[in-house]
Amino acid sequence: MTLAVSSWERSSASELVKRLGSFNGRRFATAAPLLLPDNMHCEGRLSEKMSRKSFVIATVANCLLTGVLFAQSQPAVLTIHADQPISKVSPTLYGLMTEEINHSYDGGLYAEMVSNRTFGGSWAGIHNWILVEEGNSQAKIAPDSKTGPSEALPNSLRIDVSEASAAEPAGVLNEGYWGMAIRPNTTYTGSLYAKEDSASVGPITVSLVQNQSGKVVATATVSGVTTDWKQYPFTLKTGAVEPSAANHLVLTVAHPGTLWLSLVSLFPPTYHNRANGNRIDLMEKLAAMHPAFLRFPGGNYLEGDHIPERYEWKKTIGPLVDRPTHPSPWRYHSSDGLGLLEFLESCEDLHMQPVLAVYAGYSMAQEHVNPGADLDPYVQDALDEIEYVTGGTNTKWGAIRAANGHPEPFHLNYVEIGNEDFFDKSGSYEGRYSQFYKAIKAKYPDLLLIATMPVKSIRPDVIDDHYYKRATDFFHDTTHYDKTDRNGPKIFVGEWATREGTPTPNFGAALGDAAWMTGMERNSDIIVMAAYAPLLVNVNPGAMQWETDLIGYDALRSYGSPSYYAQVLFAKYLGTGTLASSLQGAGPKFFYSITKDEANKRLYLKLVNASSDPQPVNVEFPGASLAATATLTSLIANSTEATNTIDNPDSIVPKESTIHLSGSALHHTMPAYSIQVVELNER
Ligand code: AHR
């Protein structure tokens, strides 16, 4: 039951709490004299023999012992004027930013299971491929740069088998990206390019094998290999196996001779069953974030360390055999299997708009292209790229997109010119941005062009700001955009994160993130979009280049960090406009945002208590007529270091409950370290 406590009862209970304070040292030691809030909610049962006085005291004691009742300051008063809209909330406020970092694509979102599938580029030797010699069979393997299946893929793996038989075959195995995920009763779709010398070494046996038991869980045969390069499809089907990541792929032959392999590929079922598609679990996690847009392909990945290592979109489209792959600035090679069209199709799958970042003539080793004639080919490349995305099939690049499998043009609103060009010490961005701006606007006047730093000669439509901070810094910076000139360029917070926790953010980071998001929401009349970065991390040793990433995974499993769940909540309960409000008496680590969804007549109150003490708050809605019950969704932890991990993925997840209003007020105590959303319905 809930007690309304009189002032006498309150002071007796306070006295009792003072005496019992040593039971919960940290919370009570500093709390004398203790004030019990008017709306003290303690569950208890009043027996017939008990006086009300002893019941109150017993209940308080019980609450104290069970830790329900804590020392509390006077409640903060939050007054919300549901009938006074302040500004519009950007419907595209929350979206995604990805790039090839931390094995975000290869070994991550991109569902390919075979690592180093093309044996080329700058890999050291034949990384991830191991010689197999069963029994007394004998063979040698070596990378071969003299033959490959295409101009784009001039390399291959050469396997010289000197002795082999059906009982004792020889060949190679691939370790996958820290293993290969196998699930029961699942069909895996594979293909490989192969050729052999005149002797017949084939057929090739392709098998998925468990690492520990050595048991073959699926097998297929590839026959008819000739002396010319050709692609061979195969299918592997598992039976009743335990799901596991500890598996590898084996390719063997039973006869002596020489075999060359390239572009060995294996896919599990993918999101929306797309060929060359994405991992289902990761796409589902992204979908749950209600993303309005995807900023791609980077980030530093767009720029590359050197100009020839930039993201060249034309080399990422069409059949995989025509994609040459390229070194990424994050110290591993990119297969470019997740190329421009695949990015766009991911946008389609998750109903996001693409925010297309085009290479703008700056690479990270302080290499730049001078504005003017030198830059013209890069500008043309961007124009071609925009045509590939948006052009009809009657345009050159629109027709190529159609030939690649997507006749329908994609809708594009935003193009970003470069990435973090404030790092370019030559000061060339002013000229580079303006050259891109003029050329793109001339052909596509409706496109909004994002600058990566302030420019003077032209007014950018949007400026991309990046913030990587500690939680405390975000707590102190939630008012960052409160005074920003509303007549200036709009803001895209294209990368931001509280960097605390590795590989994924801990709860302290989630509190910093949530506090920052309250500030972004309040200013989302000017902040049109925002994206956490980096989004993804493969948590295996050696896979990560950047600490504190939103979603972690290995080959088989994935999990959301506390920050991920904070994002899910903020994006799910976005609202269409902010409301007038005022706050009094709150602690310094209390933050909030109040928005309303006009169509649904729903109010979303986001509350953040980053303090180690609970925060009582009386929320008043003068003049509003609200339903008596509201939904409360809570994300709570016991410590700022608390987190989710690959082995303990659901330690901190949102939990829903119902809370009750008294008239047009909500008397609520936020637990220590909590992020909460209250969903209120107007009557
Ligand atoms: O998100 C990681 C990196 O941080 C991005 O690639 C870059 O834009 C920023 O400096």
Side-chain angles (χ1 to χ4, degrees):
M1 71 179 283
T2 298
L3 286 176
V5 184
S6 74
S7 56
W8 179 88
E9 287 163 340
R10 213 166 28 245
S11 63
S12 305
S14 291
E15 190 52 38
L16 177 76
V17 167
K18 242 191 278 177
R19 288 193 207 149
L20 293 177
S22 59
F23 277 113
N24 195 345
R26 192 168 66 87
R27 292 191 189 282
F28 286 91
T30 57
L34 280 158
L35 293 169
L36 298 181
D38 290 340
N39 61 322
M40 184 179 74
H41 287 256
C42 283
E43 294 298 314
R45 192 163 296 164
L46 178 56
S47 82
E48 279 172 15
K49 287 186 193 145
M50 219 179 214
S51 71
R52 180 183 164 84
K53 194 186 338 175
S54 50
F55 173 63
V56 170
I57 292 174
T59 305
V60 170
N62 185 42
C63 290
L64 173 62
L65 290 168
T66 55
V68 170
L69 177 68
F70 304 119
Q72 292 171 331
S73 53
Q74 287 280 24
V77 178
L78 174 58
T79 308
I80 291 167
H81 301 281
D83 56 347
Q84 290 179 31
I86 292 283
S87 57
K88 291 247 177 294
V89 168
S90 167
T92 56
L93 183 59
Y94 297 116
L96 308 177
M97 185 271 172
T98 69
E99 64 177 318
E100 184 58 288
I101 182 174
N102 305 320
H103 286 272
S104 289
Y105 306 150
D106 292 348
L109 188 62
Y110 181 51
E112 174 64 84
M113 295 163 71
V114 178
S115 56
N116 186 11
R117 66 184 179 187
T118 52
F119 312 101
S122 61
W123 284 290
I126 39 173
H127 202 51
N128 298 128
W129 290 94
I130 311 280
L131 176 66
V132 171
E133 292 170 311
E134 296 284 345
N136 292 322
S137 67
Q138 285 184 27
K140 282 191 306 196
I141 58 172
D144 191 339
S145 57
K146 293 197 192 74
T147 181
S150 65
E151 208 177 299
L153 298 178
N155 303 311
S156 57
L157 177 70
R158 178 184 170 125
I159 309 171
D160 287 302
V161 181
S162 47
E163 250 184 82
S165 66
E168 298 184 337
V172 283
L173 69 83
N174 185 270
E175 298 175 314
Y177 291 101
W178 295 271
M180 290 188 177
I182 297 301
R183 293 185 171 80
N185 307 313
T186 303
T187 301
Y188 297 81
T189 310
S191 68
L192 55 84
Y193 282 77
K195 73 166 193 174
E196 62 180 32
D197 65 356
S198 49
S200 173
V201 294
I204 305 169
T205 302
V206 187
S207 309
L208 276 168
V209 180
Q210 291 176 337
N211 291 353
Q212 297 305 328
S213 68
K215 196 173 145 200
V216 173
V217 293
T219 197
T221 303
V222 168
S223 318
V225 178
T226 69
T227 51
D228 293 322
W229 280 106
K230 204 181 139 202
Q231 186 180 22
Y232 299 89
F234 60 88
T235 299
L236 295 170
K237 196 164 181 341
T238 57
V241 290
E242 280 294 309
S244 143
N247 306 283
H248 58 275
L249 184 73
V250 178
L251 296 100
T252 53
V253 292
H255 307 282
T258 301
L259 176 74
W260 287 266
L261 294 174
S262 187
L263 196 47
V264 182
S265 173
L266 187 65
F267 276 80
T270 58
Y271 194 71
H272 286 185
N273 283 323
R274 287 209 186 263
N276 195 42
N278 293 336
R279 256 173 76 161
I280 294 171
D281 59 336
L282 292 176
M283 287 296 274
E284 284 175 349
K285 285 205 168 49
L286 300 184
M289 292 174 71
H290 303 272
F293 66 88
L294 173 71
R295 173 182 175 231
F296 68 92
N300 294 352
Y301 182 59
L302 171 74
E303 307 164 273
D305 282 337
H306 305 282
I307 294 173
E309 295 175 0
R310 68 193 185 277
Y311 182 83
E312 284 192 77
W313 70 272
K314 286 175 184 162
K315 296 181 176 171
T316 73
I317 56 171
L320 296 180
V321 74
D322 295 329
R323 302 186 194 184
T325 78
H326 81 284
S328 110
W330 295 107
R331 302 193 292 284
Y332 60 96
H333 212 81
S334 173
S335 76
D336 290 327
L338 210 167
L340 178 57
L341 185 58
E342 287 81 12
F343 280 122
L344 295 165
E345 287 174 340
S346 306
C347 290
E348 206 164 63
D349 286 349
L350 298 188
H351 312 292
M352 313 179 276
Q353 57 170 291
V355 174
L356 183 67
V358 297
Y359 179 76
Y362 170 71
S363 295
M364 288 186 304
Q366 290 303 318
E367 294 174 14
H368 77 277
V369 182
N370 281 322
D374 289 353
L375 196 63
D376 279 344
Y378 297 88
V379 174
Q380 187 55 50
D381 220 42
L383 292 171
D384 292 347
E385 189 171 5
I386 296 167
E387 188 174 283
Y388 183 89
V389 177
T390 65
T393 49
N394 56 342
T395 63
K396 177 182 169 193
W397 287 102
I400 294 174
R401 185 198 60 242
N404 294 160
H406 203 288
E408 273 305 299
F410 295 89
H411 188 69
L412 186 66
N413 290 322
Y414 292 100
V415 172
E416 179 156 7
I417 316 293
N419 176 62
E420 294 190 341
D421 289 84
F422 45 84
F423 281 115
D424 172 13
K425 300 287 173 272
S426 74
S428 66
Y429 190 62
E430 187 75 37
R432 290 190 285 110
Y433 180 81
S434 125
Q435 194 168 332
F436 274 87
Y437 183 100
K438 285 176 190 152
I440 296 173
K441 285 279 183 182
K443 193 162 177 203
Y444 303 100
D446 293 338
L447 281 180
L448 297 168
L449 302 183
I450 305 169
T452 71
M453 61 179 282
V455 285
K456 293 192 197 87
S457 50
I458 247 169
R459 181 179 175 267
D461 298 309
V462 183
I463 298 267
D464 180 358
D465 287 346
H466 294 178
Y467 302 96
Y468 291 106
K469 294 186 177 230
R470 296 281 170 173
T472 333
D473 301 326
F474 272 136
F475 296 153
H476 291 125
D477 203 26
T478 56
T479 55
H480 189 100
Y481 289 104
D482 287 5
K483 300 229 155 49
T484 301
D485 179 4
R486 267 42 192 174
N487 298 314
K490 298 281 188 196
I491 305 292
F492 174 27
V493 185
E495 292 178 30
W496 70 271
T498 306
R499 293 193 70 196
E500 290 177 23
T502 181
T504 48
N506 57 29
F507 201 76
L511 290 165
D513 291 344
W516 175 246
M517 284 191 281
T518 63
M520 289 203 291
E521 280 192 6
R522 193 174 53 250
N523 287 287
S524 65
D525 57 324
I526 184 154
I527 303 175
V528 285
M529 298 179 289
Y532 187 102
L535 181 66
L536 298 166
V537 62
N538 186 315
V539 298
N540 279 291
M544 180 180 74
Q545 292 82 46
W546 181 282
E547 288 184 346
T548 318
D549 311 288
L550 204 62
I551 297 169
Y553 47 85
D554 61 15
L556 183 72
R557 304 164 296 170
S558 56
Y559 70 98
S561 61
S563 291
Y564 165 81
Y565 288 111
Q567 294 249 343
V568 167
L569 290 182
F570 272 66
K572 182 171 173 194
Y573 301 106
L574 182 60
T576 53
T578 62
L579 296 175
S581 65
S582 62
L583 175 69
Q584 279 170 341
K589 290 189 187 161
F590 174 79
F591 308 91
Y592 76 98
S593 158
I594 176 69
T595 62
K596 183 173 178 177
D597 187 320
E598 283 296 345
N600 295 328
K601 300 258 165 271
R602 233 169 246 156
L603 270 56
Y604 301 127
L605 173 59
K606 286 146 190 154
L607 302 168
V608 182
N609 180 21
S611 164
S612 56
D613 287 328
Q615 172 67 62
V617 54
N618 288 343
V619 192
E620 290 165 5
F621 300 90
S625 173
L626 298 172
T629 56
T631 306
L632 175 72
T633 311
S634 305
L635 196 62
I636 306 174
N638 294 322
S639 126
T640 52
E641 286 296 307
T643 197
N644 294 334
T645 64
I646 193 82
D647 293 322
N648 197 359
D650 299 325
S651 182
I652 301 165
V653 292
K655 298 207 168 95
E656 244 184 50
S657 59
T658 301
I659 50 172
H660 303 275
L661 279 77
S662 334
S664 65
L666 177 67
H667 303 295
H668 177 57
T669 296
M670 290 195 73
Y673 302 135
S674 60
I675 299 164
Q676 298 186 305
V677 182
V678 189
E679 195 183 347
L680 303 122
N681 289 301
E682 280 188 334
R683 272 206 272 247

